[in-house]
Amino acid sequence: MKDALDPENGKFILRVNSLVKHYPLRGGILSRKIGYVKAVQDVSLDIREGETLGLVGESGCGKSTLARTMILLEKPTSGNILFEGKDIASLSSKELFQVRRKIQMIFQDPYSSLNPRMTIGEIIRDPLIVHKTGSRKEQEEKVASLLIRVGLSPDMMDRYPHEFSGGQRQRIGIARALALDPQILIADEPVSSLDVSVQSQALNLLTELQKDMELTYLFISHDLSVVEYISDRIAVMYLGRIVEMGDTKEIFENPAHPYTRALMEAVPVPDPKRGGRKIILKGEPPSAIHPPSGCAFHPRCPFVIPECRKQLPLLEPFSPRNTSSHLVACIRK
């Protein structure tokens, strides 16, 4: 990785080093610890100020767990989480409280993430109350301005979440995330539950907000077309590890890891004249409780060699000429 202050690539605002998150597995009459679910394993990545880093991978690969751990909704098993150079995992409760207003999250389900007993005005105002920001009048004015910013009317302030469509509810979730003027938004599958026509509206809104408010995004999705549209860089995740990372254009034009290629070739192409898929993944992803030895992808990889079963590949430059912009964890690179 390049230095956080590299002027060519911009300043890194959020960095994780060797992040691990394991969940204890219990069983038996005495509920003893019998193993671990290894959800995130030795992940290191950086997010530059003002960019959008897309995080992609199959369901269950650890994307959401990684995001939740990065903002300490889940306590990391080990590793460092650096925000503006400070390890937030070691901060006191009071210090962490101040950091939380700078890093906010947009959740996947725009309905279950909203309290059905609260009006949308109360939902958006709630972070302002918790952080004691402004008077009641100032808070209500802020809520009204946020509703306008996300394309809703302040007249809707007294309505409840069930009175809105899925797209409108996601706009409410975005407004709530913006209430404290954060620097980073972590968007966990923010458009996956929306209709295709509504997805484009939500993506355009996020793009406009990023430009107007100078926001930094970690955008999580399994939809490669969405990630390609919104992301500056992409990190590909498989069974708790990052297997490839680089600039969006480079990743899509020259995917280096077989898993990345398989994901891209699995996307339906509306042209019957184009050739079929070159890589078809067989079977299901391995268990996160007992991951395979060596490269975790080797049981499904069509290019597997004996070394893949023994050696854990490191995330390294794809070629000697490319020192940092395109990294891949593959022995056969």
Side-chain angles (χ1 to χ4, degrees), residues 5-74:
L5 298 177
D6 188 332
E8 182 180 347
N9 292 279
K11 179 182 177 181
F12 289 121
I13 188 172
L14 185 63
R15 164 175 285 173
V16 297
N17 294 321
S18 303
L19 192 65
V20 174
K21 178 59 183 177
H22 292 172
Y23 295 97
L25 200 63
R26 300 183 183 278
I29 298 176
L30 300 178
S31 189
R32 291 176 176 172
K33 192 182 298 181
I34 58 174
Y36 291 93
V37 177
K38 300 171 183 177
V40 176
Q41 299 194 74
D42 196 27
V43 169
S44 296
L45 57 80
D46 303 297
I47 305 177
R48 298 169 187 153
E49 193 170 27
E51 78 164 352
T52 299
L53 176 65
L55 183 62
V56 300
E58 293 172 292
S59 296
C61 71
K63 303 187 301 296
S64 295
T65 301
L66 173 60
R68 294 174 66 87
T69 306
M70 288 172 66
I71 59 175
L72 295 183
L73 291 180
E74 301 280 355

Side-chain angles (χ1 to χ4, degrees), residues 130-149:
V130 171
H131 286 267
K132 300 178 181 178
T133 302
S135 64
R136 182 182 179 88
K137 182 180 179 181
E138 290 171 336
Q139 291 172 353
E140 291 176 348
E141 290 174 350
K142 182 69 176 287
V143 172
S145 67
L146 285 169
L147 286 171
I148 294 172
R149 184 176 283 273

